[in-house]
Amino acid sequence: MNQDDLLLTGATVVGASGATRADVSVRDGRVSAVLPPGTLTRAREVLDLRGRFLLPGLIDSHVHFRQPGLSHKEDWQHGSRAAVAGGVTTVIDMPNTDPPANSPRRLWAKHRLIDGTSLVDYRFHAGVDPRNIDGIKEIGPREAASIKVFLSGHHTAPDVVTDPAALERLFRIAGEQDRTLIFHSEHEEIFALLDVWRGAPRTFRDYETLRPRSAGIVATLNLIELARRSDTAAHVLHVSSREEADLLAAAACSGIPVTFEVTGHHLTFTNDDMDRLGNRIRLRPAIRDDADRERLWEAVTEGQAATIGSDHSPHTAEEKNRPMPGAPPGLPGVQELFATVFTGLTERLPEMDPGPRLSAVVRLMSAGPAALFGLADRKGEIAPGRDADIVVVDPVRRHVLTNGGVFAKCGWSAYEGRPFTGGIDLTLRRGSPVYRWTPQEHVFGKPTGIWL
């Protein structure tokens, strides 16, 4: 029997359905065995991780790493450092770059630009050219995990599908090709009507009122009906309101092929935080009220949401500090995602042991996105034959994010000064250490992430 490369002992292994004490061995970048403690004794390297929990590498299926064309905001070198520091080992990047990633040629060019710079493994979501809806026929599963559709636009998302006939055609083509559609689900014409009536938002306090929930509700209800008629899978991103969560949960319960994502920032902030944070939490969709936030947490704890994503959308400090309406929506979040979600679960379920809380994290941030986006054969679970993407978590370590600890290229975070519970001690990607925390320093590995 060949000697394993690495043996992780003494820890609790967490899956989507529970947690158990086990030893994990790694060989040639994959998990070779998961066995009761003490069963395995030999390896080239042995790590005693008593008191720690092992999670499958997190998958952030909603990031904007900004290359090509917008690398003054973010790039893969910095974005992937932020990711692994947050326990994320795989990302799926959005298409609204410059030029947009909406053809096989552009998707391959994007890979060539990234290759050799990423600490994480990666896939892409492809975009839609609203002037050439049939162009998505050329994009296969090798190039893209899904087709991203913007129903409303903003500073970095100019390609918007507003024509009802074009949207129906998208569903028909995706259904014929068995492709998943994912959506920024806000109705652009509602915003246009409000702007004619009251003018575009001029202050941060006015922003939520003039970019209201009604746009998301109308767009999402329309998507549910299109998914029902076409039997085509639709995944709604960054759901922000209780009404949308109710509609999507009810539709899924009735057998309509719809799923939805919530984000760390919609689980954390409310519109009341705009007075304190202003442009830092100007988002699309907007931050809503406390009742909306609590309904999204209910979707997390009751298993209604399919995924949690960061919507990591950095802008430079100069851009975010512009007066309304020039300040673009978006914030960095991939580094903060695990800490945000686990801290929120700890605050809401203080009587629960860390294992079940971490199982919810795995369900929504590892197993869920792996299943939804075609990665479950190698990602999303610590099991023999799967990639050895493993995150070592200290569930009781308290820490505060400081400005100097932000690894995104923009160098700022809306979460600065916020206390977190649960720290990432070590991140392995395919068996290789890509991040290690010590009280003295953060140590990063080699940028050998691959296009999956």
Side-chain angles (χ1 to χ4, degrees):
M1 178 177 176
N2 293 330
Q3 189 179 38
D4 288 323
D5 302 316
L6 177 64
L7 175 60
L8 309 175
T9 70
T12 299
V13 176
V14 183
S17 59
T20 185
R21 288 282 303 281
D23 290 348
V24 178
S25 63
V26 175
R27 185 188 306 155
D28 297 329
R30 294 183 181 268
V31 175
S32 58
V34 180
L35 294 170
T39 306
L40 304 164
T41 59
R42 296 185 61 197
R44 292 186 179 91
E45 182 180 3
V46 179
L47 295 180
D48 186 342
L49 299 171
R50 278 173 287 188
R52 302 298 189 262
F53 287 73
L54 306 184
L55 276 60
L58 305 182
I59 301 169
D60 192 343
S61 54
H62 191 163
V63 302
H64 300 261
F65 278 2
R66 301 299 195 195
Q67 285 183 288
L70 301 169
S71 58
H72 68 286
K73 301 173 185 283
E74 182 63 293
D75 56 34
W76 281 77
Q77 178 183 0
H78 289 84
S80 66
R81 282 166 65 93
V84 296
V88 173
T89 56
T90 301
V91 301
I92 311 181
D93 192 57
M94 289 295 171
N96 50 315
T97 50
D98 185 14
N102 57 12
S103 71
R105 178 179 60 83
R106 287 180 174 177
L107 289 160
W108 279 95
K110 183 172 176 175
H111 159 63
R112 288 191 293 271
L113 181 67
I114 294 164
D115 192 26
T117 70
S118 178
L119 286 164
V120 295
D121 290 344
Y122 53 91
R123 291 213 75 196
F124 304 133
H125 300 294
V128 175
D129 182 348
R131 299 164 294 278
N132 178 26
I133 297 298
D134 283 18
I136 68 167
K137 293 179 180 180
E138 302 172 7
I139 302 169
R142 176 65 190 95
E143 286 85 23
S146 79
I147 307 298
K148 168 73 178 286
V149 187
F150 286 91
L151 302 182
S152 177
H154 53 75
H155 297 62
T156 59
D159 287 339
V160 179
V161 178
T162 57
D163 177 30
L167 193 55
E168 287 212 37
R169 182 156 184 78
L170 274 172
F171 269 87
R172 185 163 62 252
I173 294 170
E176 291 169 353
Q177 297 189 334
D178 195 25
R179 303 300 305 277
T180 296
L181 296 171
I182 66 173
F183 290 92
H184 180 128
S185 181
E186 293 185 287
H187 200 289
E188 183 75 11
E189 292 184 5
I190 288 178
F191 296 151
L193 282 170
L194 291 172
D195 287 352
V196 169
W197 178 41
R198 300 182 67 178
R202 307 303 303 178
T203 70
F204 295 114
R205 173 51 73 174
D206 293 338
Y207 181 66
E208 196 274 340
T209 303
L210 295 176
R211 292 293 177 262
R213 67 185 63 237
S214 55
I217 296 166
V218 169
T220 296
L221 188 60
N222 187 40
L223 292 179
I224 290 170
E225 176 59 17
L226 287 167
R228 185 193 66 80
R229 293 206 312 260
S230 65
D231 197 32
T232 298
H235 183 60
V236 179
L237 302 171
H238 41 46
V239 166
S240 64
S241 74
R242 52 193 183 272
E243 292 88 351
E244 291 167 86
D246 287 347
L247 287 169
L248 288 161
C253 185
S254 67
I256 299 171
V258 291
T259 53
F260 68 97
E261 169 201 80
V262 296
T263 66
H265 42 260
H266 285 111
L267 292 170
T268 301
F269 303 109
T270 71
N271 194 41
D272 289 338
D273 294 309
M274 292 295 288
D275 290 333
R276 178 173 56 90
L277 294 169
N279 53 8
R280 289 197 168 203
I281 58 169
R282 184 194 176 196
L283 304 168
R284 289 285 298 272
I287 299 292
R288 307 296 178 196
D289 63 30
D290 186 65
D292 295 303
R293 179 177 62 179
E294 294 310 306
R295 176 64 184 92
L296 298 181
W297 273 112
E298 182 182 283
V300 167
T301 58
E302 295 191 2
Q304 296 163 357
T307 63
I308 299 177
S310 71
D311 192 6
H312 177 81
S313 303
H315 302 281
T316 66
E318 182 277 326
E319 289 169 328
K320 288 296 281 186
N321 286 329
R322 293 171 184 166
M324 291 281 283
L331 53 74
V334 66
Q335 179 178 341
E336 302 91 335
L337 184 60
F338 166 78
T340 296
V341 174
F342 186 66
T343 300
L345 288 168
T346 301
E347 292 170 350
R348 284 163 175 76
L349 303 168
E351 74 289 348
M352 184 180 287
D353 290 336
R357 282 184 262 130
L358 289 168
S359 287
V361 171
V362 170
R363 175 171 51 81
L364 288 157
M365 297 164 62
S366 296
L372 188 62
F373 295 112
L375 297 171
D377 61 332
R378 60 186 302 181
K379 307 287 187 182
E381 183 183 8
I382 299 175
R386 304 291 177 90
D387 286 352
D389 297 351
I390 300 172
V391 182
V392 179
V393 172
D394 178 347
V396 298
R397 173 153 62 87
R398 302 274 293 175
H399 57 104
V400 174
L401 183 64
T402 63
N403 179 266
V406 176
F407 298 116
K409 188 174 185 179
C410 64
W412 63 270
S413 172
Y415 297 87
E416 289 169 35
R418 195 177 191 92
F420 289 128
T421 299
I424 306 296
D425 285 355
L426 176 68
T427 303
L428 302 174
R429 191 255 301 124
R430 286 182 284 113
S432 297
V434 286
Y435 173 76
R436 189 186 300 271
W437 173 88
T438 73
Q440 294 76 36
E441 62 180 343
H442 303 267
V443 180
F444 294 94
K446 297 179 180 179
T448 55
I450 62 172
W451 188 16
L452 297 167

